Amino acid sequence: EAFGRGLYSAARTRRTYAALRRRAAHWLDRGRSVVLDATFGQVSERTAMRRLAARRGVRLVVLHCHADEATIRAALAAREHDP
């Protein structure tokens, strides 16, 4: 689907990140470490994860990955054809 629509709509993105936080909390509450692979493009999403980590008393480590535009375009094009 086009960016910003359907699966990629703002409402769907909010629900997806909320589910990600719930799942992370589930495992953190059981003493497990979690790795969350997501864009976290919105400040509110990053803030919510920081708050979750603080409430659970765990350290949050953020990895910032960077790719050049050609690499990103190639990855998006490949993803477009992946069912």
Side-chain angles (χ1 to χ4, degrees):
E1 297 186 68
F3 183 76
R5 296 176 165 234
L7 182 62
Y8 301 103
S9 70
R12 185 70 176 258
T13 297
R14 282 191 301 276
R15 288 194 305 270
T16 298
Y17 278 92
L20 188 63
R21 285 190 302 277
R22 282 192 306 275
R23 291 178 180 165
H26 170 85
W27 291 110
L28 291 171
D29 290 345
R30 284 154 183 77
R32 303 294 300 266
S33 295
V34 296
V35 175
L36 307 175
D37 180 5
T39 304
F40 290 97
Q42 300 295 318
V43 171
S44 60
E45 295 159 1
R46 296 189 299 273
T47 299
M49 287 311 303
R50 286 186 184 100
R51 287 181 181 152
L52 174 65
R55 284 193 308 267
R56 298 304 191 281
V58 299
R59 185 172 60 137
L60 175 67
V61 176
V62 177
L63 300 178
H64 179 104
C65 300
H66 178 78
D68 59 60
E69 186 173 344
T71 301
I72 293 169
R73 287 187 181 278
L76 290 173
R79 186 167 129 183
E80 200 171 291
H81 302 291
D82 183 0

